[in-house]
Amino acid sequence: AKSDGGNTGRFYDTGLQDEIRLKRRLGRDLETAIENDQCYVVFQPIATSAMRIVGYEALLRWRHPELGEIAPSQFIPIAESTGWIGTIGRWMADRALAAAATWRSDLTLSLNLSPLQFRDADLVDTLLGLAERRGIAPDRLAFEVTESATLLGHHRDTVLAMLRRLQDAGARIVMDDFGTGHSSLSNLKDFRFDALKIDRSFVAAMLVDQPSASIIRATIGLGRSLGAVIVAEGVEQQRQLDVLREWGCDQVQGYLIGRPARDVAAGARRSRRDAL
Ligand code: C2E
Ligand code: CA
Ligand code: CA
Ligand code: CA
């Protein structure tokens, strides 16, 4: 038993060390990923619950030359801890804006903002400047933030002011992964979110789990009384869509509507007439 314990300990240490080594390597490699053309942007449609596409969410991808596709859930936290998130966030926003300039002008572009990006006092000017350069009116933009962005302690007021400035310019602010944070309701009081995005864990369970169904229905009611649009993410089944529509959910996103892809639907592209 004693030697078993020792082996387990060594095994665990090795695993942990490998993980630390991998994170260090990814952190280093990430700094040259953009210039080496390893990063790209994919777009996932967001539709009304009647299935009319209203816009696309931009999602970042990284194809590592040796390790293959690295999930954003793995490399975004690394970029946050190395401070590289600012650079990658700017690059990402510019790429997504350039793509959106080729879309029908009624379609919105949703961008995810990491809480760490709010440490950059120039964030709002940078984003609005990039949009202007690409000819995208701010009212076509939505910025998705998770609740961790609203929990930056003494930075809370700064984040609040930055989000207000984006809103004043015409952009929408979306609370992402709604329901998974720690103080959703007090955040709703101080931050005027234009939309709440129900986390996909609730959608995945809604047809089989009564509490998940209740939380979604209550969120839809809450959104309505706050004047916020409700988006459900992770919609994979027709039945989920039908029930969400019946419950009054405004917008939906998920594999049923469309997977993230490098190209948007042909109908989403700007026609020559639209360009005039
Ligand atoms: P998120 O913002 O909540 O994005 C939704 C995630 O759910 C995406 O994963 C998307 O591909 C996935 N998804 C969409 N529909 C379905 C579905 O029907 N079923 C399932 N199972 N999954 C679905 P992805 O692209 O791997 O991104 C994961 C997270 O990484 C994002 O979560 C976001 O927090 C972060 N992320 C991605 N791109 C960026 C970025 O450019 N900047 C920042 N700051 N974060 C990003
Ligand atoms: Ca998002
Ligand atoms: Ca989400
Ligand atoms: Ca998420």
Side-chain angles (χ1 to χ4, degrees):
K2 200 178 171 193
S3 71
D4 275 350
N7 284 339
T8 307
R10 268 200 302 279
F11 180 74
Y12 177 75
D13 285 343
T14 310
L16 198 66
Q17 266 170 16
D18 285 350
E19 202 182 302
I20 291 167
R21 212 172 290 129
L22 176 65
K23 276 190 186 149
R24 276 211 199 102
R25 175 178 182 195
L26 291 179
R28 254 191 336 261
D29 292 353
L30 201 50
E31 302 200 354
T32 52
I34 292 173
E35 59 199 71
N36 290 338
D37 248 0
Q38 295 160 9
C39 290
Y40 59 100
V41 183
V42 290
F43 300 94
Q44 185 179 35
I46 302 172
T48 65
S49 53
M51 287 289 248
R52 183 175 59 84
I53 293 178
V54 292
Y56 287 85
E57 177 179 3
L59 296 158
L60 188 55
R61 293 289 178 264
W62 179 20
R63 185 175 290 132
H64 190 283
E66 281 131 36
L67 302 168
E69 291 283 342
I70 315 283
S73 58
Q74 188 174 10
F75 72 79
I76 298 279
I78 293 174
E80 289 174 340
S81 67
T82 61
W84 199 246
I85 188 73
T87 305
I88 228 165
R90 266 190 305 277
W91 178 87
M92 164 75 178
D94 191 51
R95 275 307 164 93
L97 287 160
T102 70
W103 304 346
R104 259 174 26 219
S105 57
D106 59 313
L107 294 171
T108 62
L109 167 68
S110 298
L111 291 168
N112 293 286
L113 292 180
S114 153
L116 272 295
Q117 289 180 263
F118 291 91
R119 283 194 185 161
D120 172 10
D122 295 329
L123 177 69
V124 172
D125 288 329
T126 302
L127 291 170
L128 295 176
L130 290 173
E132 191 177 6
R133 262 189 29 220
R134 296 292 184 182
I136 305 288
D139 64 2
R140 288 182 61 193
L141 300 177
F143 294 99
E144 303 192 356
V145 296
T146 54
E147 280 178 276
S148 48
T150 62
L151 292 173
L152 293 175
H154 63 285
H155 296 297
R156 198 166 186 274
D157 287 343
T158 313
V159 174
L160 208 122
M162 290 167 99
L163 293 179
R164 286 270 160 87
R165 273 193 62 213
L166 287 169
Q167 284 176 318
D168 289 344
R172 267 156 284 176
I173 303 297
V174 182
M175 183 187 271
D176 206 351
D177 300 345
F178 184 73
T180 60
H182 294 292
S183 59
S184 325
L185 299 181
S186 66
N187 281 330
L188 291 181
K189 186 166 74 64
D190 301 334
F191 292 79
R192 293 171 304 146
F193 288 99
D194 299 285
L196 308 179
K197 206 182 247 198
I198 299 172
D199 190 68
R200 74 164 185 266
S201 57
F202 298 107
V203 175
M206 61 176 274
L207 298 178
V208 291
D209 179 54
Q210 190 52 54
S212 293
S214 300
I215 289 163
I216 293 178
R217 299 190 75 164
T219 305
I220 292 169
L222 187 63
R224 183 161 301 144
S225 58
L226 289 168
V229 167
I230 300 296
V231 191
E233 70 175 6
V235 178
E236 296 181 354
Q237 302 165 26
Q238 184 63 46
R239 180 80 190 131
Q240 291 168 335
L241 173 66
D242 293 341
V243 172
L244 286 164
R245 192 193 304 116
E246 199 182 296
W247 288 347
C249 182
D250 303 296
Q251 296 180 358
V252 288
Q253 191 177 5
Y255 295 165
L256 179 74
I257 297 92
R259 291 189 176 251
R262 291 180 89 137
D263 290 313
V264 298
R269 286 199 210 99
R270 194 177 258 261
S271 68
R272 213 169 295 156
R273 211 174 75 215
D274 193 29
L276 287 177

